Amino acid sequence: MRNKPLVVAVVLVVLAVLVFAVGWMIGSRHHGELAQAAGDGRVPVDARAIFIPEGGQLDRLRRGVPVDQEGHPPPMARVENTDLRRLRNYPMQPPTIPHTIDGYQVDRNSNRCMLCHARANAATFQAPPVSVTHYMDRDDQFLATISPRRYFCNQCHVVQTDAPTLVANGFKDIDSVLAAPPPGGN
């Protein structure tokens, strides 16, 4: 029984080698089926795994620049500075920042956001106060000041820009999903 750890280790190594070999064989066969289906003109079942957008472009985010060439960056997007609250798409979504924050100092010694958004100053600056959840510690106990976990605002809150959408997004909020007729017309 002294060799029990050695036997267990050998069994685990043999088992790992077997799992690797079986996975490799299945993967090789699956890759061959995909290549054959693509060569025959048939659309493979798992076409998403080898999808190449129109024109052979591998990465839509490269804006038409081939992979082996260096592209020029697009112009910097401008921050929308409308000071209007935006709708949220899902419960508990962090609100976006409706104004520019260029030059705001947020570090361990100072948080410029709290000048306007602290509960004591919000009415004076007509700014929404930070949520009470920002004053809670990880044990849900209320603190006198902002929780260190919620102190760095840009962890969750972002400014909105006029940048074009790079990747199509079909996200639907719950209200539009519930308002849509059921599939099949029932």
Side-chain angles (χ1 to χ4, degrees):
M1 282 296 153
R2 284 188 232 170
N3 293 333
K4 188 173 183 179
L6 180 63
V7 171
V8 170
V10 169
V11 169
L12 287 176
V13 168
V14 169
L15 187 62
V17 168
L18 285 174
V19 168
F20 174 77
V22 169
W24 181 71
M25 290 181 354
I26 290 172
S28 297
R29 186 183 67 191
H30 182 66
H31 180 69
E33 290 171 359
L34 287 175
Q36 178 186 8
D40 294 347
R42 294 182 294 134
V43 177
V45 175
D46 193 14
R48 295 169 301 196
I50 58 170
F51 174 71
I52 298 175
E54 59 276 350
Q57 179 64 32
L58 294 176
D59 186 357
R60 296 187 85 136
L61 298 178
R62 294 187 58 84
R63 300 173 313 280
V65 178
V67 176
D68 61 345
Q69 296 177 9
E70 188 71 30
H72 296 288
M76 292 291 290
R78 289 187 308 264
V79 172
E80 293 179 0
N81 200 20
T82 59
D83 281 340
L84 297 174
R85 285 190 191 187
R86 293 181 187 88
L87 295 176
R88 299 189 205 184
N89 292 312
Y90 54 90
M92 304 304 290
Q93 175 189 357
T96 58
I97 303 170
H99 57 80
T100 184
I101 58 170
D102 292 343
Y104 277 31
Q105 181 177 351
V106 178
D107 57 28
R108 70 185 189 113
N109 298 318
S110 174
N111 184 332
R112 168 63 173 81
C113 302
M114 296 308 294
L115 175 66
C116 300
H117 293 282
R119 299 191 79 72
N121 301 339
T124 305
F125 290 98
Q126 297 180 355
V130 295
S131 167
V132 294
T133 60
H134 289 58
Y135 290 90
M136 296 168 64
D137 66 9
R138 66 181 72 220
D139 298 321
D140 293 335
Q141 299 298 312
F142 284 97
L143 306 170
T145 60
I146 290 288
S147 169
R149 297 184 314 145
R150 303 287 185 101
Y151 184 80
F152 295 100
C153 308
N154 288 352
Q155 288 181 146
C156 303
H157 305 279
V158 296
V159 295
Q160 293 296 289
T161 65
D162 63 356
T165 304
L166 295 176
V167 178
N169 184 350
F171 177 82
K172 296 179 183 174
D173 66 2
I174 189 66
D175 295 326
S176 61
V177 170
L178 292 175
N186 292 339

